Amino acid sequence: MTTTKHRVGEHLRDQGVSRRAFLKFCTASASLMALPPGLIPAMAAALEQARRPSVIWLSFQECTGCTESLTRSHAPTVEDLILEMISLDYHHTLQAAAGEAAEAAREQAMKDNFGKYLLIVDGSLPGPDANPGYSTIAGVSNYAMLMEAVEGAAAVIAVGTCAAFGGLPEAAPNPTGAVAVMDLIKNKPLVNVSGCPPVPMVITGVLAHYLAFGRLPERDAYHRPLAFFGQSIHDRCYRRPFYDKGLFAETFDDEGARAGWCLYRLGCKGPSTYNACATMRWNAGTSWPIEAGHPCLGCSEPRFWDAGSFYAPLSVPTDLSSSRILTAGAAGALVGGTVATLARRTVATAATSRQPVTADELEQTL
Amino acid sequence: MTTIADPMGFLLFTKGPLFNIAIAIFALGLAARLAEILLLGRRPNFAEPRAGEWLPGLRTVVTRTLPDPGTFKRAPFNVLTGLIWHVGFLVALLLFIPHIELIKGLFGVSWPGLPNPFVDLVTAVTLVALAATLVHRLTHPVKKRLSTIEDYLIWAVTFLVVLTGYLAYNRLINPYPLALGLHILTAELFLILLPFTKLTHIFTVFIARWYNGASFGRRGVQS
Amino acid sequence: MSALSSIPVRVQSVSHGTANCGNAVPILHEVRHALERLIATGEGTQIDLNAIPFGPEDEAHLLAVLGVGEVRATIDALGPTHVQETAIPGVWLIDYRITEDQRLALHLDIGDIPEILRTQRQDLDTALTTLDARLTRAQGGAQFES
Amino acid sequence: MSPIANPVVNPEATAFNLERGLAAFRAEIDGPVAAFFSSCVHCGICAQSCPFYLETGDPKYTPILKLEPLRLVWESEFTLWGKIKGALGLQQRVTDAMLAEWEELIYDSCSMCGRCSMVCPVGNDIQAMVRKSREGMVAAGHAPEGLAGAAVRAVKTGSPMGLQWKTLQVQIEHVQTSSGLTVPVDQAGVDYLVMLSSMEVINFPEYLEAITKIFDHAGVTWTLSTQCFEATNAGIQIGNKDIAALLVERVVDAAVTLGVKNVISPECGHAYTAIRWEGPNLIGRRYPFRVFHIIEVMDQLRAQGRITTAGKELDRLSLHDPCNLARKSGVIQQQRNLMDLVAEQFVELPEHGRFQWCCGAGGGVSSNERAEPLKLAAFKRKKAQIEAVEPERMVTMCATCRTQLEEGLEHFNMDIPVVGLTELIADHLVDKEEPT
């Protein structure tokens, strides 16, 4: 991997990237970051001067889907360019080195760039109180490795819903005691790029932002970059006009489904899901789940595995049980019946023990 | 985590455990209340009836929904605001598609809904009418005299249910899980309070009207 | 579950009419405002169509309304970039693509001429040296490659 | 269930007290009461149906508010929630002072006209609950003196006004002389036993002559009973089922003694509801005879073609429906059929039939001297109705209503005479002399 002394502009020029190409790259990056096109010149100037950071990528309890998403992203040139701009010093799936050599590279990069490197994590990890044996790398528990690596990190990027929120490993009953990265890291700048997997351009967009502006982007309550997670799927959905008109598909094969109507009734979690799918799309911008006719699962939200059926509408409670209602109703009828029976007895007693009024008694009051 | 820091956690709490608690309290409380009423029953009536009880009772259940012309003329504001918000509330409750899905999920029955913008408009009107009823309650001497803390509590809960629903639909509170969670939370509060307050009238009104209609009907008067 | 083959598959085209073009019209209004601003102040506007929630037919509808104008240019840098003037003077469509012909970004540029078409000022620094070098070689009768 | 004298009456002790009252309230609570109180939303619409509120503007006269003691007994002793509140010390209780304050609301400002029961949006039968509340009020010693006096006189003398048979006897002889007809007394096995009200005998003696003529004309067999002639029931008005049952038993006994098929309630509102609707339940058994209001009987005779009239009243007549007869007993069309026989120009009051307005004197208000000002205030509602149609005469069929209309119209210097419908019919029977 190349030296980190270079500034991005010089580095790219050395790679034979022209000014127009650079401008085009900045345009693409701005589009990724959902920045207004008017900011492109300022961004170009900043990127020109940016330094290439060292990046350490740790993969814990994950499925490699996030890495797949990134490496199979539709714009290899741009991805290449962004990856050119960083120095990816450790990624145990992608790097050529293996075994002790790989771990040595990690140790070395951490030492050389202490306080300056960017730490990227995908996957959740067994928490400090859980059995560390559930997930180890080179005999080191995920927890120990994360805490060691975070020490010298300038910022942390949690990629994917597992790293961001615990994801599938953390779903009930959470056998491994999985926790999210943000549960463990409180004193470093952290950004969550959630999604299962995240939109690849969002990962690179966050990197580009970090490169261009030297800091993490603005984030929401869940530390997600607002540029990508600031609006819900529902708000950016091209099918929104159908929702507003009250036109819904009710099965996957009805007229409404064929006409591309809103998928709310088929369980779409778009209204409560914040992500960039609706504008960035997937597979080279070809399409995205809702355009393909499937409701949004809400994969970029916390606990989406435990939020009830993917196919139950958002308004339906997560843990429905009509027998529970019936039981409560029966218990209520029993209680009410008891109260009423006692009350009837009260009335009967009052009626029989009631002292009849006589004219003599009334006369006494006159 | 707090509501603000974990809106999705809040939403899932209101949609999960809290919903179960609320619906259980509601079912238990309401069943108890209805049992209290129905088991008390009526004493035998030995007077020769002029007419039956069932049909006049059922007729009164329906007819009392609208006032007689004289009452309407004497209290048009009270009658109109009351009618408007009740109709609006029922339309929003029963004909908004997400609510229909909820009922379908709970009981397996469903019916056609209304277009969302229409329900939205109805909801806005309902909010205005509800606000008007509060003003009326605070200013009209009779209502002022009748009103108890419970009346204002119930008004507040009802208003909040509609308001949070309106805000959630129009996405005026962000993030949306917080907005939806607040709406569900207020609805659950409504459900929990229902059997123990005058909100019970939602169910007992049918019994009360029937008893009234039956009693008058027996004497040959359409009440 | 029954066998997959038992699920009847019908392919049919559904005519959406204008139902799926609901998001094109607001963009056209935005273009109109940008044009008014250009005429009044000379200030240009870029609209990133990737940031707009478009349905399958929104884009086609938008482009059909804008039409095709006189100028068409292609820039060969980091893959092709197609610049097309629309039938509305001052409204340009810029389609940024990579070598595999996949789209990076699609912009509407409301202005006199898109920035990417202009000669880059920084490149002028090397203009004279490049030309001088080529002159020298020309005088030496050398052959050129672009 | 005739009243049983309490064997351990201590003459020193106060006969009525709070606990006795609460027991009486308790004994009145049933499913409808629970449903009604569960359903009230404090909308205040009932106030718009109450002449006492409308004409005084005082919100304390709101009908549902009059039921607060009964409601508190229900809430604290008949609901789970009330019991929980009670355990927490949050439940308000009925006190003697409260009942003292409520006496005016339950008696003086309520004629039990039932209009509130007719308009309540949730269907609360408020009037029925006022009737129930009066049971508790009597037992707690909070009944108005005027009503207690009437009840005592009714039980002890047979008439709330202390009227004796011998007074009636004089009137009977007068009727026989003036009409040349016989007024049958104690005739066993006839079709109808005719009951009277003391107020009618004293204020409107023409009624007896009128029915004598009508029944003669229609060929109806009927009788008066020396055993019991009084149809009114002071027990119903004060709101005590023991007294009321005792008075009903007297009527039943008289009817059974004579073996009549039918009993006719006179031109009196509450007498009819007392004997027609409450009576069988007060005594706990069905009657061996049927009960009709005189208006019902006349309309039946009319329908059978047994009443032939000639000529019509030419002036503008309007009709006051007694609450007890119309709204509370369903006799609404009958009086209109009869009016059509004899009235050339009959105009309805703006709100009539089941939605008519009370004259303000019913429900014991007229027997309660203290309530005089409220009674007059409530009449203003009727007065406004009458003014709206400007009749030359009013027709009604209840002695209490008639007295109230006469007094009220006179008070407001309105020269509109009030006549009883029975007399009006009697005046137009064919083959009879011109009325004097």
Side-chain angles (χ1 to χ4, degrees):
Chain A
M1 298 208 178
T2 45
T3 165
T4 58
K5 299 282 185 224
H6 265 53
R7 291 183 189 277
V8 169
E10 300 162 31
H11 182 79
L12 293 178
R13 208 74 30 76
D14 287 356
Q15 306 280 317
V17 176
S18 75
R19 294 273 176 183
R20 276 202 186 87
F22 185 62
L23 192 62
K24 179 173 177 176
F25 164 71
C26 288
T27 300
S29 298
S31 185
L32 289 185
M33 284 183 275
L35 292 175
L39 278 183
I40 292 169
M43 188 185 156
L47 261 186
E48 177 84 27
Q49 295 302 317
R51 290 182 178 279
R52 298 176 64 224
S54 166
V55 172
I56 293 173
W57 184 304
L58 300 179
S59 299
F60 297 143
Q61 298 188 129
E62 49 88 42
C63 66
T64 317
C66 299
T67 301
E68 285 286 329
S69 168
L70 179 65
T71 54
R72 286 169 191 263
S73 88
H74 81 279
T77 316
V78 173
E79 305 312 322
D80 288 352
L81 279 177
I82 288 171
L83 294 178
E84 279 298 334
M85 288 190 271
I86 61 169
S87 169
L88 186 55
D89 293 330
Y90 178 79
H91 186 306
H92 70 197
T93 311
L94 295 181
Q95 70 195 132
E100 284 176 8
E103 298 310 306
R106 178 172 57 83
E107 303 280 352
Q108 190 62 44
M110 279 163 54
K111 207 173 122 201
D112 292 348
N113 302 293
F114 192 84
K116 288 179 284 188
Y117 60 82
L118 204 53
L119 180 64
I120 299 181
V121 183
D122 68 334
S124 64
L125 62 160
D129 302 326
N131 182 345
Y134 281 122
S135 181
T136 63
I137 295 165
V140 180
S141 76
N142 288 172
Y143 177 70
M145 188 177 281
L146 175 68
M147 295 324 269
E148 188 197 357
V150 83
E151 196 79 1
V156 181
I157 303 176
V159 168
T161 296
C162 295
F165 302 127
L168 179 62
E170 187 251 9
N174 190 2
T176 64
V179 296
V181 173
M182 68 174 170
D183 294 337
L184 301 172
I185 296 174
K186 304 288 182 195
N187 57 354
K188 292 280 178 186
L190 177 140
V191 61
N192 280 328
V193 181
S194 64
C196 190
V199 180
M201 290 178 286
V202 175
I203 306 175
T204 48
V206 168
L207 277 175
H209 188 284
Y210 186 76
L211 288 170
F213 301 109
R215 55 184 161 78
L216 296 177
E218 290 290 306
R219 282 148 286 163
D220 69 2
Y222 286 122
H223 306 289
R224 295 177 299 196
L226 278 169
F228 306 105
F229 295 90
Q231 280 181 303
S232 70
I233 295 292
H234 185 69
D235 288 331
R236 306 299 279 166
C237 181
Y238 77 97
R239 296 196 188 205
R240 175 65 182 270
F242 296 108
Y243 175 86
D244 290 339
K245 279 184 215 145
L247 297 173
F248 297 92
E250 292 186 49
T251 72
F252 283 103
D253 194 35
D254 67 3
E255 279 303 316
R258 263 167 277 181
W261 290 355
C262 177
L263 301 169
Y264 185 96
R265 304 184 88 158
L266 289 170
C268 184
K269 304 296 185 293
S272 62
T273 303
Y274 289 76
N275 207 339
C277 308
T279 46
M280 297 202 150
R281 297 198 175 94
W282 290 79
N283 298 328
T286 305
S287 183
W288 58 298
I290 289 175
E291 193 170 336
H294 193 280
C296 168
L297 304 183
C299 75
S300 58
E301 293 297 318
R303 280 173 291 281
F304 87 100
W305 291 101
D306 292 331
S309 166
F310 289 156
Y311 300 100
L314 189 57
S315 58
V316 175
T318 50
D319 183 23
L320 273 182
S321 162
S322 46
S323 67
R324 199 181 292 126
I325 300 167
L326 287 177
T327 311
L334 199 69
V335 172
T338 313
V339 173
T341 310
L342 292 175
R344 274 174 84 98
R345 203 164 298 161
T346 309
V347 176
T349 313
T352 50
S353 69
R354 194 182 63 88
Q355 198 180 334
V357 172
T358 66
D360 288 334
E361 286 177 319
L362 273 178
E363 196 164 22
Q364 283 172 14
T365 66
L366 295 174
Chain B
M1 279 199 207
T2 62
T3 307
I4 301 300
D6 186 12
M8 185 53 80
F10 171 65
L11 173 63
L12 292 181
F13 178 64
T14 59
K15 275 177 72 175
L18 200 59
F19 180 81
N20 287 328
I21 292 168
I23 202 91
I25 293 176
F26 162 75
L28 195 143
L30 184 67
R33 199 70 184 266
L34 295 180
E36 277 170 11
I37 293 168
L38 296 174
L39 289 180
L40 263 178
R42 292 180 297 170
R43 256 147 276 188
N45 195 335
F46 299 106
E48 181 197 351
R50 227 191 260 290
E53 293 195 331
W54 271 104
L55 278 178
L58 292 176
R59 189 165 49 200
T60 300
V61 168
V62 177
T63 56
R64 281 296 164 101
T65 308
L66 292 175
D68 63 282
T71 300
F72 179 69
K73 244 178 269 168
R74 274 179 289 279
F77 186 80
N78 201 358
V79 167
L80 269 184
T81 51
L83 263 180
I84 289 171
W85 89 254
H86 272 86
V87 169
F89 189 91
L90 285 174
V91 165
L93 174 69
L94 298 175
L95 299 175
F96 184 50
I97 283 167
H99 295 164
I100 293 175
E101 287 296 338
L102 168 63
I103 292 162
K104 190 164 126 193
L106 273 177
F107 305 111
V109 289
S110 70
W111 46 81
L114 288 173
N116 292 348
F118 182 76
V119 178
D120 185 43
L121 177 73
V122 167
T123 309
V125 172
T126 304
L127 283 171
V128 173
L130 268 170
T133 60
L134 180 66
V135 173
H136 194 248
R137 191 170 281 289
L138 288 168
T139 53
H140 191 278
V142 167
K143 282 175 105 171
K144 213 161 72 181
R145 170 77 184 237
L146 280 174
S147 298
T148 61
I149 293 169
E150 186 187 316
D151 291 299
Y152 295 107
L153 173 75
I154 293 317
W155 181 91
V157 172
T158 309
F159 186 78
L160 280 177
V161 172
V162 183
L163 179 70
T164 52
Y166 182 80
L167 293 176
Y169 172 77
N170 288 289
R171 305 182 79 87
L172 297 171
I173 297 178
N174 279 308
Y176 182 76
L178 174 64
L180 183 58
L182 285 174
H183 178 56
I184 295 174
L185 178 72
T186 50
E188 283 160 353
L189 201 60
F190 187 94
L191 275 182
I192 290 170
L193 285 173
L194 194 152
F196 306 105
T197 59
K198 64 178 196 173
L199 286 175
T200 325
H201 83 276
I202 297 168
F203 295 91
T204 57
V205 66
F206 301 106
I207 307 173
R209 285 179 181 178
W210 185 85
Y211 275 139
N212 184 306
S215 168
F216 277 96
R218 191 172 213 285
R219 288 175 278 156
V221 183
Q222 187 195 324
S223 76
Chain C
M1 293 291 280
S2 52
L4 279 178
S5 58
S6 70
I7 301 173
V9 176
R10 281 191 308 267
V11 178
Q12 65 180 79
S13 62
V14 175
S15 170
H16 302 309
T18 55
N20 264 348
C21 307
N23 292 307
V25 176
I27 295 299
L28 288 165
H29 282 287
E30 202 181 324
V31 169
R32 199 180 183 287
H33 287 299
L35 268 176
E36 282 171 354
R37 194 162 50 238
L38 178 69
I39 293 161
T41 68
E43 189 192 342
T45 304
Q46 289 84 39
I47 298 170
D48 182 356
L49 293 178
N50 271 12
I52 311 297
F54 265 5
E57 291 169 20
D58 278 320
E59 186 183 311
H61 184 65
L62 177 77
L63 299 186
V65 172
L66 290 175
V68 177
E70 293 166 339
V71 183
R72 182 187 302 235
T74 299
I75 298 145
D76 188 15
L78 205 72
T81 299
H82 305 290
V83 178
Q84 168 76 60
E85 194 192 23
T86 69
I88 318 291
V91 180
W92 302 76
L93 182 72
I94 312 173
D95 190 356
Y96 299 93
R97 287 174 180 264
I98 52 169
T99 34
E100 284 88 351
D101 207 31
Q102 288 174 352
R103 180 177 288 160
L104 276 178
L106 183 66
H107 278 195
L108 278 178
D109 191 308
I110 296 93
D112 298 333
I113 188 164
E115 187 60 29
I116 200 161
L117 271 186
R118 290 179 194 278
T119 300
Q120 304 295 300
R121 294 301 300 182
Q122 296 97 321
D123 288 343
L124 281 180
D125 299 346
T126 59
L128 283 175
T129 47
T130 309
L131 183 58
D132 288 345
R134 290 192 176 212
L135 256 177
T136 313
R137 268 190 281 167
Q139 283 158 354
Q143 285 293 311
F144 289 100
E145 286 175 17
S146 61
Chain D
M1 275 203 303
S2 56
I4 310 142
N6 190 344
V8 283
V9 170
N10 179 358
E12 302 298 312
T14 323
F16 305 114
N17 55 51
L18 177 64
E19 194 34 59
R20 198 173 163 189
L22 291 177
F25 275 120
R26 240 172 255 140
E28 289 302 312
I29 286 167
D30 58 6
V33 170
F36 297 153
F37 283 136
S38 296
S39 301
C40 177
V41 292
H42 290 169
C43 71
I45 290 287
C46 54
Q48 302 300 330
S49 71
C50 180
F52 293 89
Y53 162 72
L54 287 172
E55 296 305 331
T56 61
D58 190 335
K60 73 176 173 177
Y61 297 131
T62 301
I64 195 70
L65 209 54
K66 296 170 184 171
L67 303 172
E68 195 58 11
L70 184 65
R71 194 193 69 79
L72 281 177
V73 170
W74 164 77
E75 186 183 71
S76 58
E77 301 182 33
F78 290 82
T79 68
L80 178 63
W81 184 235
K83 283 178 195 282
I84 294 170
K85 283 209 297 192
L88 299 171
L90 297 170
Q91 179 64 46
Q92 196 195 335
R93 306 269 175 196
V94 176
T95 62
D96 198 59
M98 179 188 192
L99 295 183
E101 188 187 340
W102 252 258
E103 188 180 318
E104 185 212 1
L105 304 180
I106 292 180
Y107 288 102
D108 303 21
S109 67
C110 180
S111 59
M112 300 212 290
C113 75
R115 206 176 191 287
C116 46
S117 300
M118 194 61 59
V119 305
C120 172
V122 297
N124 287 354
D125 193 347
I126 298 171
Q127 181 274 139
M129 292 195 283
V130 169
R131 167 70 188 86
K132 284 170 176 288
S133 297
R134 288 187 178 186
E135 291 287 334
M137 297 299 280
V138 173
H142 287 292
E145 230 173 77
L147 288 175
V152 171
R153 278 191 300 279
V155 172
K156 302 211 162 175
T157 71
S159 151
M161 300 170 99
L163 185 80
Q164 303 288 306
W165 175 262
K166 58 179 189 250
T167 314
L168 181 56
Q169 182 67 48
V170 172
Q171 208 175 91
I172 291 170
E173 280 158 19
H174 175 78
V175 169
Q176 296 188 138
T177 316
S178 109
S179 66
L181 299 167
T182 309
V183 175
V185 174
D186 290 338
Q187 301 266 310
V190 293
D191 286 343
Y192 295 99
L193 168 62
V194 169
M195 305 300 298
L196 300 169
S197 86
S198 293
M199 186 184 266
E200 211 165 47
V201 174
I202 294 167
N203 291 355
F204 311 110
E206 53 273 30
Y207 171 76
L208 184 60
E209 186 171 342
I211 54 167
T212 307
K213 288 178 181 168
I214 292 166
F215 287 162
D216 174 68
H217 170 93
V220 166
T221 63
W222 65 289
T223 184
L224 290 175
S225 166
T226 50
Q227 192 183 339
C228 176
F229 66 86
E230 182 61 59
T232 65
N233 194 320
I236 295 286
Q237 295 198 311
I238 196 169
N240 176 262
K241 53 174 74 164
D242 309 306
I243 307 274
L246 187 147
L247 298 175
V248 168
E249 287 280 15
R250 288 180 182 169
V251 178
V252 176
D253 287 348
V256 170
T257 305
L258 295 174
V260 294
K261 297 185 198 73
N262 305 290
V263 169
I264 299 179
S265 183
E267 283 201 347
C268 171
H270 89 270
Y272 182 62
T273 47
I275 198 164
R276 173 73 175 84
W277 304 112
E278 271 209 57
N281 299 320
L282 287 166
I283 64 173
R285 60 178 193 274
R286 287 175 219 287
Y287 295 149
F289 52 84
R290 300 184 73 194
V291 177
F292 296 100
H293 191 269
I294 181 66
I295 296 296
E296 286 180 280
V297 174
M298 285 196 295
D299 189 52
Q300 287 161 9
L301 296 174
R302 176 202 60 80
Q304 292 160 4
R306 292 166 72 180
I307 289 183
T308 320
T309 56
K312 289 194 173 185
E313 301 291 321
L314 299 176
D315 55 347
R316 190 173 163 86
L317 299 180
S318 189
L319 187 70
H320 167 72
D321 285 304
C323 318
N324 275 300
L325 191 63
R327 177 157 51 238
K328 289 163 73 177
S329 297
V331 179
I332 294 170
Q333 188 51 46
Q334 290 90 328
Q335 51 268 46
R336 286 166 175 76
N337 296 341
L338 295 170
M339 283 297 282
D340 287 346
L341 283 185
V342 295
E344 184 73 41
Q345 280 192 75
F346 168 45
V347 283
E348 290 277 20
L349 294 179
E351 287 172 287
H352 57 266
R354 64 197 170 105
F355 281 117
Q356 58 76 252
W357 285 96
C358 180
C359 65
V365 173
S366 63
S367 313
N368 180 1
E369 297 83 359
R370 190 180 64 198
E372 196 66 27
L374 277 168
K375 187 180 83 165
L376 195 61
F379 174 73
K380 285 193 274 181
R381 183 74 12 192
K382 192 85 237 171
K383 171 177 163 268
Q385 276 199 296
I386 295 172
E387 283 167 343
V389 299
E390 295 178 330
E392 286 166 86
R393 278 188 298 164
M394 286 298 296
V395 180
T396 190
M397 53 234 81
C398 164
T400 303
C401 296
R402 188 169 166 186
T403 308
Q404 166 81 342
L405 289 175
E406 285 180 350
E407 288 177 6
L409 290 167
E410 189 186 326
H411 178 89
F412 291 104
N413 299 316
M414 292 165 72
D415 186 21
I416 301 174
V418 185
V419 290
L421 181 53
T422 312
E423 298 145 50
L424 211 54
I425 296 294
D427 284 351
H428 288 275
L429 295 172
V430 293
D431 73 281
K432 75 182 259 304
E433 308 149 27
E434 282 302 304
T436 47

